[in-house]
């Protein structure tokens, strides 16, 4: 193992890399072969792995290149972190809630064909100082990544000093002066023996192998999902959240990089995945500078997104550069390092009390209002999922995107927009809209966002969901007129039909998002969410239903589907009877 210290971009010290061919022993005495590294998070590394089979004598004759080549078909990965890292909480959650038989029983009871909950495979503790550790499989064990080349080490501020060998001294004018642990007259506090032994130990977790994360697919789609892809993801994530909540846990970090699609063994899905590194590295959208007055970020709308297919080495077709989510894709929710129990030891729900130790945990951009004060409940995950939905379909437009470095400003913005939902939805789909100034909210001043009309103290957005529906109706009428006038040209009719269908989809999507946000805003901290209602809203939107159908469902009015009357059967009909049956068939089809 390498002795050079490595640091993640968030400042956490990473464990030393494991060489290819190394073997780890889990709690059941099963050995696992370490393959190349496929990812690095904020607390550790992820390697390809497989169970060691003693019957395979050819593995002992393998070298590093042969193991790397064979590892591309391995169906398991292993997370490797420090002993005192967040992997301890994640392993405990997997042991309690993610066993295969437990998940299968839940799926049978709920009649689910798929549940995006990763299955627990194995876990253990690795102590490199133990004498009974198994020897590596191959002799020339070196550190390598999935492409066969040594991965670049992510170093922190101490990397330059470690490279020059001056970690225990001060270098002045090319001369290194030993200080015996003292720098600038300040002596470092040496850790005790118990902490040193814990630092030398590591935890590992074996999971199933998954494909690309939704964040990468969203970026390939020019940072924009259509309604079908976004709502399909949300429907499957809701099933997983319902399972997690049924066991008394809250995920507390729902985002696109923690959603992975299933791995099918294709060559285009053999690269790095996050697999729940619980990293606190700021995403690309968090590089904006926090300013007192935030400004909107304009993104280019995608022109068209197409799927390109290719052939693998086996001749099977596979999707390359996948840029959309299909209904047959399986979505898995990972990264359970921040899970929280919303039930106390006596079985009662935790109170809505501020906890500074857990405050602002997770990703600030998608964290709920409760997470900003360290209080977690089931509605927190649903609120984070709603923010992700708006982020995916609007091209990354959230009102608090440019002030992510100041948690108080983000919290104030979320509270205001969740109480003004029409302005919230209007901002996400209006590129000319400017977000409110959160500093005025903290000072107690009144805010009036642009794009709204103030009448008698009631703020109504000029482009709300109601106006979007009316505009969609007017656009459809204008498109019909244009098609009748330009019936001679086929191209104009096609363009008008496309514009009318797009406006109709946008109005349905905005109405569904408004209904979801409205339900979450009215949900109390301790109430159990109605998952069926949320899934019905998304399902009606995907099926082309209107917001009125979901509104009737919210009021408790059942939706009755009208079925055509059954036609009577007649044996050996006469010609006159055939004519009557034919007319009845036509009328039944019209109905």
């Amino acid at each position: 193992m390498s002795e050079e210290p490595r640091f993640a971009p968030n400042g956490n010290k990473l464990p030393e890399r494991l060489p290819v061919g190394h073997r780890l022993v889990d709690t059941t005495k099963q050995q696992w072969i370490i393959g190349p590294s496929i990812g690095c998070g904020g607390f550790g590394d992820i390697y390809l792995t497989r169970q060691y089979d003693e019957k395979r004598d050819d593995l002992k004759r393998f070298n590093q290149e042969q193991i790397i080549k064979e590892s591309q078909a391995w169906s398991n990965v292993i997370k490797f972190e420090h002993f005192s890292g967040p992997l301890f909480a994640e392993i405990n959650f997997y042991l309690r809630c993610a066993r295969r038989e437990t998940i299968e029983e839940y799926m049978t009871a709920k009649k689910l064909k798929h549940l995006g909950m990763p299955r627990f495979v194995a876990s253990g503790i690795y102590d490199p100082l133990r004498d009974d550790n198994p020897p590596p499989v191959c002799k020339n064990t070196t550190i390598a990544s999935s492409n066969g080349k040594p991965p670049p080490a992510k170093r922190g501020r101490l990397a330059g000093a470690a490279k020059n060998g001056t970690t225990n001294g001060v270098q002045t004018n090319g001369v290194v002066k030993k200080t015996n642990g003292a720098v600038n007259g300040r002596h470092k506090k040496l850790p005790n023996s118990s902490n040193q032994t814990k630092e030398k130990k590591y935890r590992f977790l074996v999971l199933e192998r998954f494909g690309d994360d939704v964040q990468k697919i969203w970026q390939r789609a020019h940072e924009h999902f259509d309604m079908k892809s976004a709502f399909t993801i949300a429907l499957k994530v809701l099933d997983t959240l319902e399972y997690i909540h049924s066991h008394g846990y809250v995920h507390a970090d729902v985002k696109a990089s923690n959603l992975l699609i299933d791995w099918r063994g294709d060559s285009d899905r053999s690269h790095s995945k996050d697999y729940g590194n619980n990293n606190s590295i700021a995403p690309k959208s968090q590089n904006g500078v926090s300013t007192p007055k935030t400004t909107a970020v304009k993104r280019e709308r995608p022109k068209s997104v197409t799927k390109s297919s290719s052939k693998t080495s086996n001749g099977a077709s596979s999707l390359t550069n996948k840029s959309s989510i299909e209904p047959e894709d399986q979505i898995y929710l990972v990264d359970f390092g921040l899970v929280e129990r919303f039930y106390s030891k006596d079985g009662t729900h935790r109170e809505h009390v501020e906890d500074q130790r857990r405050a602002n945990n997770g990703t600030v951009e998608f964290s709920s209002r409760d997470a900003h004060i360290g209080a977690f409940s089931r509605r927190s995950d649903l609120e984070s999922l709603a923010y992700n939905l708006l982020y995916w379909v609007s091209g990354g437009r959230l009102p608090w995107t440019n002030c992510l470095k100041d948690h108080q400003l983000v919290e104030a913005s979320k509270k205001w927009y969740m109480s003004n939902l029409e302005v919230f939805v209007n901002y996400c789909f209006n590129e000319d809209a400017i977000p409110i100034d959160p500093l005025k909210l903290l000072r107690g001043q009144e805010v009036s966002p642009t794009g709204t009309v103030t009448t008698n103290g009631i703020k109504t957005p000029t482009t709300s969901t109601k106006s979007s529906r009316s505009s969609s109706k007017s656009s459809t009428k204008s498109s019909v007129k244009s098609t009748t006038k330009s019936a001679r040209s086929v191209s104009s009719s096609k363009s008008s039909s496309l514009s009318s269908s797009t406006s109709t989809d946008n109005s349905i999507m905005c109405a569904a998002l408004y209904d979801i946000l409205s339900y979450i805003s009215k949900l109390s901290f301790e109430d159990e969410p109605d998952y069926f209602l949320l899934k019905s809203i998304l399902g009606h939107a995907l099926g082309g239903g209107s917001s009125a159908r979901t509104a009737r469902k919210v009021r408790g009015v059942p939706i009755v589907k009208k079925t055509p009357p059954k036609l009577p059967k007649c044996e050996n009909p006469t010609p006159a009877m055939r004519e009557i049956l034919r007319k009845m068939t036509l009328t039944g089809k019209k109905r």
Side-chain angles (χ1 to χ4, degrees):
M1 299 176 67
S2 175
E3 296 181 356
E4 184 179 2
R6 299 184 303 132
F7 295 90
N10 56 4
N12 295 324
K13 184 179 180 180
L14 298 175
E16 298 180 359
R17 286 198 178 97
L18 297 174
V20 174
H22 198 81
R23 284 189 286 176
L24 299 179
V25 183
D26 60 14
T27 54
T28 61
K29 305 302 180 182
Q30 175 66 45
Q31 298 183 12
W32 297 87
I33 305 175
I34 298 299
S37 174
I38 63 172
C40 177
F43 294 93
D45 299 279
I46 302 171
Y47 303 89
L48 293 175
T49 186
R50 60 155 295 172
Q51 289 187 0
Y52 176 72
D53 190 2
E54 297 180 357
K55 297 180 181 179
R56 289 193 58 180
D57 296 334
D58 57 338
L59 289 176
K60 299 179 180 179
R61 297 189 296 269
F62 274 13
N63 54 20
Q64 176 188 357
E65 289 75 13
Q66 290 174 324
I67 291 181
I68 293 175
K69 184 178 180 180
E70 185 183 298
S71 65
Q72 300 304 318
W74 292 357
S75 59
N76 292 105
V77 296
I78 191 167
K79 292 182 62 177
F80 190 78
E81 296 183 6
H82 284 292
F83 184 83
S84 57
L87 192 58
F88 172 74
E90 188 169 1
I91 292 176
N92 286 337
F93 170 79
Y94 273 104
L95 289 173
R96 295 177 181 178
C97 309
R99 294 190 179 274
R100 187 175 298 273
E101 55 273 10
T102 306
I103 298 176
E104 291 178 355
E105 290 178 1
Y106 179 85
M107 292 175 60
T108 304
K110 293 289 185 178
K111 298 181 180 180
L112 297 176
K113 296 181 180 179
H114 166 71
L115 184 64
M117 181 67 204
R119 277 65 170 172
F120 172 79
V121 180
S123 64
I125 298 175
Y126 172 64
D127 186 1
L129 301 181
R130 292 188 60 175
D131 298 332
D132 55 348
N133 289 328
V137 175
C138 51
K139 295 182 179 180
N140 54 343
T141 55
T142 58
I143 302 171
S145 60
S146 58
N147 55 8
K149 299 180 181 180
K154 298 181 179 180
R155 303 184 180 93
R157 58 183 181 180
L158 300 179
K163 186 176 180 180
N164 298 328
T166 61
T167 55
N168 294 328
V170 180
Q171 184 176 3
T172 57
N173 298 328
V175 180
V176 179
K177 299 180 180 180
K178 293 185 178 181
T179 58
N180 296 327
V183 180
N184 296 331
R186 297 182 180 180
H187 292 271
K188 295 182 179 180
K189 185 178 180 180
L190 297 177
N192 53 24
S193 59
S194 61
N195 291 335
Q196 287 181 351
T197 55
K198 288 183 179 180
E199 280 297 321
K200 294 178 181 178
K201 292 183 180 180
Y202 304 92
R203 297 184 188 272
F204 64 90
L205 174 65
V206 183
L207 297 173
E208 298 173 340
R209 184 178 180 181
F210 301 116
D212 288 337
D213 56 72
V214 175
Q215 180 69 20
K216 292 181 180 178
I217 300 175
W218 181 74
Q219 291 175 352
R220 295 195 199 110
H222 305 286
E223 297 185 349
H224 179 270
F225 273 160
D226 56 359
M227 181 178 65
K228 180 181 178 182
S229 297
F231 284 13
T232 300
I233 298 172
L235 282 171
K236 298 185 178 184
V237 174
L238 279 174
D239 289 333
T240 309
L241 290 178
E242 185 178 2
Y243 173 79
I244 298 171
H245 297 168
S246 64
H247 287 77
Y249 283 92
V250 176
H251 187 273
D253 195 15
V254 179
K255 58 182 178 179
S257 58
N258 289 336
L259 299 174
L260 309 180
I261 62 176
D262 55 323
W263 180 73
R264 302 171 185 174
D266 298 340
S267 59
D268 58 307
R269 297 182 182 177
S270 60
H271 298 290
S272 65
K273 320 294 174 279
D274 185 26
Y275 288 97
N277 287 311
N278 191 17
N279 51 19
S280 57
I281 304 172
K284 183 179 179 181
S285 59
Q286 294 189 7
N287 292 336
V289 181
S290 176
T291 57
K293 186 175 182 179
T294 57
T295 56
V297 179
K298 294 187 178 181
R299 298 176 183 265
E300 296 182 356
R301 292 286 182 180
K303 296 181 179 180
S304 62
V305 180
T306 57
K307 297 178 184 178
S308 58
S309 60
S310 63
K311 296 288 183 178
T312 59
S313 58
N314 299 329
S317 62
S318 62
L319 294 176
T320 59
N321 297 329
K322 185 177 178 62
S323 59
S324 63
I325 301 296
E326 300 298 333
E328 60 270 11
D329 291 331
Q330 298 179 1
I331 308 296
Y332 290 88
L333 179 62
V334 298
D335 189 356
F336 295 93
L338 294 177
V339 289
E340 294 286 346
R341 294 188 67 93
F342 57 87
Y343 281 126
S344 57
K345 295 182 180 180
D346 56 355
T348 59
H349 198 287
R350 293 184 181 273
E351 298 180 355
H352 190 268
V353 181
E354 184 177 1
D355 188 356
Q356 291 295 335
R357 296 176 300 173
R358 297 179 175 85
N360 298 309
N361 278 354
T363 306
V364 181
E365 191 170 8
F366 308 110
S367 59
S368 64
R369 294 164 294 169
D370 299 329
H372 282 283
I373 64 173
F376 295 94
S377 66
R378 287 165 285 193
R379 73 174 183 183
S380 303
D381 287 342
L382 300 181
E383 187 174 337
S384 298
L385 180 60
Y387 294 156
N388 279 275
L389 273 176
L390 285 170
Y391 189 82
W392 297 334
V393 298
S394 65
R397 280 185 58 85
L398 289 177
W400 48 82
T401 303
N402 290 336
C403 58
L404 294 176
K405 291 186 178 181
D406 194 331
H407 296 170
Q408 292 183 353
L409 299 181
V410 176
E411 181 184 1
S413 298
K414 290 178 181 178
K415 288 182 178 179
W416 189 89
Y417 278 102
M418 285 300 290
S419 58
N420 299 270
L421 296 179
E422 292 186 351
V423 183
F424 189 11
V425 177
N426 178 42
Y427 170 83
C428 294
F429 295 95
N430 186 6
E431 295 183 356
D432 297 330
I434 299 176
I436 61 172
D437 188 358
L439 285 177
K440 292 183 178 180
L441 295 175
L442 296 179
R443 296 169 185 169
Q445 302 176 1
E446 295 183 359
V447 292
S448 57
T450 59
T452 62
V453 179
T454 305
T455 57
N456 299 326
I458 301 175
K459 301 176 182 179
T460 56
T462 57
T463 317
S464 63
T465 54
K466 296 181 181 179
S467 61
S468 65
R469 294 174 197 168
S470 60
S471 63
S472 65
K473 291 181 181 179
S474 61
S475 62
T476 51
K477 291 181 181 179
S478 61
S479 63
V480 172
K481 293 180 180 179
S482 63
T483 51
T484 54
K485 291 181 180 180
S486 60
R488 301 173 184 177
S489 59
V490 182
S491 61
S492 61
S493 63
K494 289 183 178 179
S495 61
S496 61
S497 62
L498 287 176
S499 62
S500 62
S501 63
T502 303
S503 61
T504 305
D505 291 343
N506 289 337
S507 62
I508 294 175
M509 179 174 60
C510 291
L513 290 172
Y514 180 86
D515 290 341
I516 292 174
L517 290 170
S518 177
Y519 174 78
I520 295 174
S521 62
K522 297 176 182 178
L523 191 67
S524 64
F525 182 74
E526 299 180 359
D527 285 349
E528 181 180 0
D530 191 350
Y531 304 97
F532 178 78
L533 172 61
L534 296 174
K535 287 185 282 188
S536 64
I537 295 175
L538 298 172
H540 288 319
L542 289 176
S546 61
S547 178
R549 296 173 61 87
T550 57
R552 291 175 60 190
K553 188 69 180 177
V554 172
R555 300 189 198 102
V557 181
I559 299 174
V560 181
K561 295 183 179 180
K562 297 182 179 180
T563 57
K566 295 183 179 180
L567 299 178
K569 295 182 179 180
C570 182
E571 298 180 358
N572 300 325
T574 60
M577 184 60 70
R578 289 175 186 167
E579 183 66 16
I580 294 173
L581 291 175
R582 187 180 68 82
K583 292 181 179 180
M584 293 178 67
T585 304
L586 293 176
T587 56
K589 289 182 178 179
K590 290 181 180 179
R591 292 180 185 178

